[in-house]
Amino acid sequence: MATPVTRETSGKDSEPVQAERGPTEAVNIAQHPAAATLSAPESADEPADGSAVEQAPAVEGSESKPLAERLHGAERLIDLPAALDDLVREGFVSQRQAEDILIAPRTKKELTQHPLEIIAEREYDNRNKPGHKLDLDTLTLWLCEKSRQPHLRIDPLKINVNAVTEVMSYAFAQRHNILAVDVTDDEVVIASGQPFMYQWEGMLTQTLRGRRIRRVVTNPADLSRYMLEFYTMARAVSKAEDAGLEVSSIANFEQLLELGQLKSPEANDAHVVNIVDWLLQYAFDQRASDIHIEPRRDMGLIRFRIDGVLHHVYELPNAVNAAVTSRLKILGRMDVAEKRRPQDGRVKTKSQDGNEIELRLSTLPTAFGEKMVLRIFDPDVLLRSFKELGLVGKDFERWQHMTHSPNGIVLVTGPTGSGKTTTLYSSLKQLATSEVNVCTIEDPIEMVEPTFNQMQVQHNISVSFASGVRALLRQDPDIIMIGQIRDLETANMAIQAALTGHLVISTLHTNDAPSAITRLLDLGVPAYMIKATVLGVMAQRLVRTLCPHCKVEEAVDQEAWDLLMRPFRAKPPKRFFAPHGCLECRDTGYMGRMGIYELLPLTDNVKALIKNDSEIDDIRAVGLKEGMRTLRLSGAQKVGAGLTTISEVLRVAPIIQD
């Protein structure tokens, strides 16, 4: 992200602010063919003419001077004719395209839009860059070059909403179309879509207590959106804190929660409802997989897990934090009055683009109050291919062979958050044809899928995994999915189901695939039963994938490669890639996650080692001879393909002892 330049302000409204503008730091934007003709105000020798804001002229009367020259002197809003004149002159659009935009009737929405937004909506081809569209980001960079001001893309996760909304009122920000995006002890960074407007600087300087103003140009659509969201959230929190928080009066038991209906922050809405609406929509936009609402001694914390890493998002007063938790408990049909024991619930909602999203709610009593975690399940994951999941090659062929067997037990192992649910649902989705009956028993049901017959464990009425499987066996199933094998009773029911001609897919919590055998033995399952029923075991982990927009090639690190491959030896790949960081990945260098897998089929040689006193190392050694790749070897393949890094694989994959 480009670093905005610092510019001092005089605080005098009558003086042209252009006099104080100096050269800015270099900005990383594309160089246009006509860049040599671009000019911005360089001095204040020309006095301001004091004219009013220029109205959009008629098509025929459009001025021919470049935009920067027209705005030299008095401050003026960027209008549509001026912007189109410059774009035509510099070859971005044709004269005919510009005329089409100018003569087109304006909708009510377009009358309030920034000129660049109106142009971008036409989705014209960029004549200066064949194969690319003239989108709003391109036009924003063009405006940065015209004004000689740096570009900044707003990352809401890096914005301190409380601090930036205290710099100015919502009315002032809306009137001047500006937004504070960073506040320090010395300066305030102000984003604008109108780089040639300066009057607000003098007004704002009086309230900044000596802090400098740094100006940046940002996407006008993002500016409008985040201005509304930030001020709505800040106002809702403030009003909720002042209102006494009669959360118990909220009686909305709706199961489908409509999002994206934020109104003006001045509207007299139910403030806690607004906070929850913003929180969920915000999480969907940021691709979060989990929302953590955590009480602390002084403040409540809200954190998002994105690509497996937690990000601090917001701080709420404890009273507001408790109200938000209660609101979500009501939506999830949980007992609001019960705060002493853990609870589970679920909410089905819609994102702003209309996609249905399911959320699984979980509460936990802590020292400072109830902690809540919302796991977000996007139904689209059910449609993801195994290639997208990272399961390819021989491992994919073996997994397909096991899951298409007529009977037996297939186990998936890994810790919480390792992607077991996604793998199981993706597999069941392929298996659930009209010719077979697929039944599941889960605790709780994580994603509702119409092609499955799903049953939920309910311990309060004595519906456990074991009793659930016993009931499912009377439902004429072909395939049974058991959420988790935790005890001997459940394991025995799974074995009985497999012996009677059913395919059983389940999960275990173990570190790797060979450990699943010893885990079953520890539960008390006889060795001969394991040999007779278990088809194979797959262990998995999730690693972050490198951002395709910014990953960079780096020198081969032989030492790190040897550590990854230990105790095996192999030549390192010819190319290594490392994270760099860009706007698309929030400067993390990673975008998305994929799986690494360890697949152990129970061949005859592996079965021969399964005894009551089996050694896990012996099973692993034979499995490797039979073609099993460890999690680290699977990760090394992803490193060689340029998809992830050695450090990511080492972070999640267990160590194999020599």
Side-chain angles (χ1 to χ4, degrees), residues 239-285:
K239 292 294 183 181
E241 192 175 12
D242 297 339
L245 296 175
E246 298 185 9
V247 183
S248 60
S249 65
I250 299 176
N252 188 351
F253 286 86
E254 66 204 5
Q255 189 163 1
L256 185 62
L257 179 63
E258 295 290 341
L259 300 181
Q261 303 299 319
L262 291 179
K263 302 177 182 178
S264 172
E266 284 74 20
N268 187 22
D269 267 348
H271 307 294
V272 175
V273 177
N274 260 354
I275 295 171
V276 172
D277 182 287
W278 173 85
L279 181 64
L280 296 180
Q281 190 62 56
Y282 197 14
F284 301 158
D285 292 342

Coordinates of all heavy atoms in Angstrom, one line a residue, residues 239-285:
K239 N -25.1 4.9 21.1 CA -26.5 5.0 21.5 C -26.9 3.8 22.4 O -27.7 3.9 23.3 CB -27.4 5.1 20.3 CG -27.3 6.4 19.6 CD -27.8 7.6 20.4 CE -27.7 8.9 19.7 NZ -28.2 10.0 20.5
A240 N -26.4 2.6 22.0 CA -26.7 1.4 22.8 C -26.2 1.5 24.2 O -26.8 1.1 25.2 CB -26.1 0.2 22.1
E241 N -25.0 2.1 24.3 CA -24.4 2.3 25.6 C -25.2 3.3 26.5 O -25.3 3.1 27.7 CB -22.9 2.8 25.5 CG -22.1 2.7 26.8 CD -20.7 3.1 26.5 OE1 -20.4 3.6 25.4 OE2 -19.9 2.9 27.4
D242 N -25.8 4.3 25.8 CA -26.5 5.3 26.5 C -28.0 5.0 26.8 O -28.6 5.6 27.6 CB -26.5 6.7 25.7 CG -25.1 7.2 25.6 OD1 -24.2 6.8 26.4 OD2 -24.8 8.0 24.7
A243 N -28.4 3.9 26.1 CA -29.9 3.7 26.1 C -30.3 2.7 27.3 O -31.5 2.4 27.4 CB -30.3 3.1 24.8
G244 N -29.4 2.3 28.1 CA -29.8 1.4 29.1 C -29.8 -0.1 28.8 O -29.9 -1.0 29.6
L245 N -29.7 -0.4 27.4 CA -29.6 -1.8 26.9 C -30.6 -2.7 27.5 O -30.3 -3.7 28.2 CB -28.2 -2.3 27.3 CG -27.0 -1.6 26.6 CD1 -25.7 -2.1 27.1 CD2 -27.1 -1.7 25.1
E246 N -31.9 -2.4 27.2 CA -32.9 -3.3 27.6 C -33.0 -4.5 26.6 O -33.9 -4.6 25.8 CB -34.3 -2.6 27.7 CG -34.2 -1.5 28.7 CD -35.6 -0.8 28.9 OE1 -36.5 -1.3 28.3 OE2 -35.6 0.2 29.6
V247 N -32.0 -5.3 26.6 CA -31.9 -6.4 25.6 C -33.0 -7.4 25.8 O -33.4 -8.0 24.8 CB -30.5 -7.0 25.7 CG1 -30.3 -8.1 24.7 CG2 -29.4 -6.0 25.6
S248 N -33.4 -7.6 27.0 CA -34.4 -8.6 27.2 C -35.7 -8.3 26.5 O -36.6 -9.2 26.3 CB -34.7 -8.7 28.7 OG -35.2 -7.5 29.3
S249 N -35.9 -7.0 26.1 CA -37.2 -6.7 25.4 C -37.2 -7.1 23.9 O -38.2 -7.0 23.3 CB -37.4 -5.2 25.5 OG -36.4 -4.4 24.8
I250 N -36.0 -7.4 23.4 CA -35.9 -7.8 22.0 C -36.6 -9.2 21.9 O -36.1 -10.2 22.5 CB -34.5 -7.9 21.6 CG1 -33.8 -6.5 21.7 CG2 -34.4 -8.4 20.1 CD1 -32.4 -6.5 21.3
A251 N -37.6 -9.3 21.1 CA -38.3 -10.5 21.0 C -38.4 -11.0 19.5 O -39.4 -11.5 19.1 CB -39.8 -10.3 21.5
N252 N -37.3 -10.8 18.8 CA -37.3 -11.1 17.4 C -36.7 -12.6 17.3 O -35.5 -12.7 17.5 CB -36.5 -10.2 16.6 CG -36.5 -10.4 15.1 OD1 -37.1 -11.4 14.7 ND2 -36.0 -9.5 14.3
F253 N -37.6 -13.5 17.0 CA -37.1 -14.9 16.9 C -37.1 -15.3 15.4 O -37.2 -16.5 15.1 CB -38.1 -15.8 17.6 CG -37.9 -15.7 19.1 CD1 -38.6 -14.8 19.9 CD2 -37.1 -16.6 19.8 CE1 -38.5 -14.7 21.2 CE2 -36.9 -16.5 21.2 CZ -37.6 -15.6 21.9
E254 N -36.8 -14.4 14.6 CA -36.8 -14.7 13.1 C -35.6 -15.6 12.9 O -34.5 -15.5 13.5 CB -36.6 -13.4 12.3 CG -35.3 -12.7 12.5 CD -35.3 -11.3 12.2 OE1 -36.3 -10.8 11.9 OE2 -34.3 -10.6 12.3
Q255 N -35.8 -16.6 12.0 CA -34.7 -17.5 11.7 C -33.9 -17.0 10.5 O -32.8 -17.3 10.4 CB -35.3 -18.9 11.4 CG -34.3 -19.9 11.2 CD -34.8 -21.3 11.3 OE1 -36.0 -21.5 11.5 NE2 -34.0 -22.3 11.3
L256 N -34.6 -16.2 9.6 CA -33.9 -15.6 8.5 C -33.6 -14.2 8.8 O -34.6 -13.4 8.8 CB -34.7 -15.8 7.2 CG -34.0 -15.3 5.9 CD1 -32.7 -16.1 5.7 CD2 -34.9 -15.5 4.7
L257 N -32.4 -13.8 8.9 CA -32.0 -12.4 9.2 C -31.6 -11.7 8.0 O -30.7 -12.1 7.3 CB -30.9 -12.4 10.3 CG -30.3 -11.1 10.7 CD1 -31.4 -10.3 11.5 CD2 -29.1 -11.3 11.6
E258 N -32.3 -10.6 7.7 CA -32.0 -9.8 6.5 C -30.9 -8.8 6.8 O -30.9 -8.1 7.8 CB -33.2 -9.0 6.0 CG -34.3 -9.9 5.5 CD -34.0 -10.6 4.2 OE1 -33.1 -10.1 3.5 OE2 -34.7 -11.6 3.8
L259 N -29.8 -8.8 6.0 CA -28.6 -8.0 6.2 C -28.5 -6.9 5.1 O -29.2 -7.0 4.1 CB -27.4 -8.8 6.3 CG -27.3 -9.9 7.3 CD1 -25.9 -10.6 7.2 CD2 -27.5 -9.3 8.7
G260 N -27.6 -6.0 5.4 CA -27.3 -5.0 4.4 C -28.3 -3.9 4.3 O -28.4 -3.2 3.3
Q261 N -29.1 -3.7 5.3 CA -30.1 -2.7 5.3 C -29.8 -1.5 6.2 O -30.6 -0.9 6.9 CB -31.5 -3.3 5.7 CG -32.0 -4.5 4.9 CD -32.2 -4.1 3.5 OE1 -32.7 -3.0 3.1 NE2 -31.7 -5.0 2.6
L262 N -28.5 -1.1 6.2 CA -28.1 0.0 7.0 C -28.7 1.3 6.6 O -28.8 1.6 5.4 CB -26.5 0.2 7.0 CG -25.7 -1.0 7.6 CD1 -24.2 -0.6 7.5 CD2 -26.0 -1.1 9.1
K263 N -29.2 2.1 7.6 CA -29.8 3.4 7.3 C -28.8 4.5 7.7 O -27.8 4.2 8.3 CB -31.1 3.5 8.0 CG -32.1 2.4 7.5 CD -33.4 2.5 8.3 CE -34.4 1.3 7.9 NZ -35.6 1.4 8.7
S264 N -29.3 5.7 7.6 CA -28.5 6.8 8.1 C -28.2 6.7 9.6 O -29.1 6.3 10.3 CB -29.2 8.1 7.8 OG -28.5 9.2 8.4
P265 N -27.0 7.0 10.0 CA -26.8 6.9 11.5 C -27.7 7.8 12.3 O -27.8 7.6 13.5 CB -25.3 7.3 11.6 CG -24.9 7.8 10.3 CD -25.9 7.4 9.3
E266 N -28.3 8.7 11.7 CA -29.2 9.6 12.5 C -30.6 8.9 12.7 O -31.4 9.4 13.5 CB -29.4 10.9 11.8 CG -28.3 11.9 12.0 CD -27.1 11.5 11.1 OE1 -27.2 10.8 10.2 OE2 -26.0 12.0 11.5
A267 N -30.9 7.8 12.0 CA -32.2 7.2 12.1 C -32.3 6.5 13.5 O -31.3 6.1 14.1 CB -32.3 6.1 11.1
N268 N -33.5 6.6 14.1 CA -33.7 6.0 15.4 C -34.0 4.6 15.3 O -35.2 4.1 15.4 CB -34.9 6.8 16.1 CG -35.1 6.4 17.5 OD1 -34.2 5.9 18.1 ND2 -36.3 6.7 18.0
D269 N -33.0 3.7 15.1 CA -33.1 2.3 15.0 C -32.8 1.6 16.3 O -32.3 2.2 17.3 CB -32.2 1.8 13.9 CG -32.9 1.7 12.6 OD1 -34.1 1.8 12.6 OD2 -32.2 1.5 11.6
A270 N -33.1 0.3 16.4 CA -32.7 -0.5 17.5 C -31.2 -0.7 17.3 O -30.7 -1.4 16.4 CB -33.4 -1.9 17.5
H271 N -30.4 -0.1 18.2 CA -29.0 0.0 18.0 C -28.2 -1.3 18.1 O -27.3 -1.6 17.3 CB -28.4 1.0 19.0 CG -29.1 2.4 18.9 ND1 -29.1 3.2 17.8 CD2 -29.9 3.0 19.9 CE1 -29.8 4.3 18.1 NE2 -30.3 4.1 19.3
V272 N -28.6 -2.2 19.0 CA -28.0 -3.5 19.1 C -28.2 -4.3 17.8 O -27.3 -5.0 17.3 CB -28.5 -4.2 20.3 CG1 -27.9 -5.6 20.4 CG2 -28.1 -3.4 21.6
V273 N -29.4 -4.2 17.3 CA -29.7 -4.9 16.0 C -28.8 -4.4 14.9 O -28.3 -5.1 14.1 CB -31.2 -4.7 15.7 CG1 -31.5 -5.3 14.3 CG2 -32.1 -5.3 16.7
N274 N -28.6 -3.1 14.8 CA -27.7 -2.5 13.8 C -26.3 -3.0 14.0 O -25.6 -3.3 13.0 CB -27.7 -1.0 14.0 CG -28.6 -0.3 12.9 OD1 -29.1 -0.9 12.0 ND2 -28.7 1.0 13.0
I275 N -25.8 -3.1 15.2 CA -24.5 -3.6 15.5 C -24.3 -5.0 15.0 O -23.3 -5.4 14.3 CB -24.1 -3.5 17.0 CG1 -24.1 -2.1 17.4 CG2 -22.8 -4.2 17.3 CD1 -24.0 -1.9 18.9
V276 N -25.3 -5.9 15.3 CA -25.2 -7.3 14.8 C -25.3 -7.4 13.3 O -24.6 -8.1 12.7 CB -26.4 -8.1 15.4 CG1 -26.4 -9.5 14.9 CG2 -26.2 -8.2 17.0
D277 N -26.1 -6.6 12.7 CA -26.2 -6.5 11.2 C -24.9 -6.2 10.6 O -24.4 -6.8 9.7 CB -27.3 -5.5 10.8 CG -27.5 -5.4 9.3 OD1 -26.6 -4.9 8.6 OD2 -28.5 -5.8 8.8
W278 N -24.3 -5.1 11.1 CA -23.0 -4.7 10.6 C -21.9 -5.7 10.8 O -21.1 -6.0 9.9 CB -22.6 -3.4 11.3 CG -21.2 -2.9 10.9 CD1 -20.8 -2.2 9.9 CD2 -20.0 -3.2 11.7 NE1 -19.4 -2.0 9.9 CE2 -18.9 -2.6 11.0 CE3 -19.7 -3.9 12.9 CZ2 -17.6 -2.7 11.4 CZ3 -18.4 -4.0 13.3 CH2 -17.4 -3.4 12.6
L279 N -21.9 -6.4 12.0 CA -20.9 -7.3 12.3 C -20.9 -8.5 11.4 O -19.9 -9.0 10.8 CB -21.1 -7.8 13.8 CG -20.1 -8.9 14.3 CD1 -18.8 -8.3 14.4 CD2 -20.6 -9.3 15.7
L280 N -22.1 -9.1 11.1 CA -22.3 -10.2 10.2 C -21.9 -9.9 8.8 O -21.2 -10.6 8.1 CB -23.7 -10.8 10.3 CG -24.1 -11.4 11.6 CD1 -25.5 -11.9 11.6 CD2 -23.2 -12.4 12.1
Q281 N -22.4 -8.7 8.3 CA -22.1 -8.3 6.9 C -20.6 -8.1 6.7 O -20.0 -8.4 5.7 CB -22.9 -7.1 6.6 CG -22.9 -6.7 5.1 CD -23.5 -7.8 4.2 OE1 -24.6 -8.2 4.4 NE2 -22.7 -8.3 3.3
Y282 N -20.0 -7.4 7.7 CA -18.6 -7.2 7.7 C -17.8 -8.4 7.6 O -16.8 -8.6 6.8 CB -18.3 -6.4 9.0 CG -16.9 -5.7 9.0 CD1 -16.2 -5.4 7.9 CD2 -16.4 -5.2 10.2 CE1 -15.0 -4.7 7.9 CE2 -15.2 -4.5 10.3 CZ -14.5 -4.3 9.2 OH -13.4 -3.6 9.2
A283 N -18.2 -9.5 8.4 CA -17.5 -10.7 8.4 C -17.6 -11.4 7.0 O -16.6 -12.0 6.5 CB -18.0 -11.6 9.5
F284 N -18.8 -11.4 6.4 CA -19.0 -12.0 5.1 C -18.1 -11.3 4.0 O -17.5 -12.0 3.2 CB -20.5 -11.9 4.7 CG -21.4 -12.6 5.6 CD1 -22.8 -12.2 5.6 CD2 -21.0 -13.6 6.5 CE1 -23.6 -12.9 6.5 CE2 -21.9 -14.2 7.3 CZ -23.2 -13.8 7.3
D285 N -18.0 -10.0 4.1 CA -17.2 -9.2 3.1 C -15.8 -9.5 3.2 O -15.0 -9.5 2.2 CB -17.5 -7.7 3.3 CG -18.9 -7.3 2.9 OD1 -19.6 -8.1 2.2 OD2 -19.3 -6.2 3.3

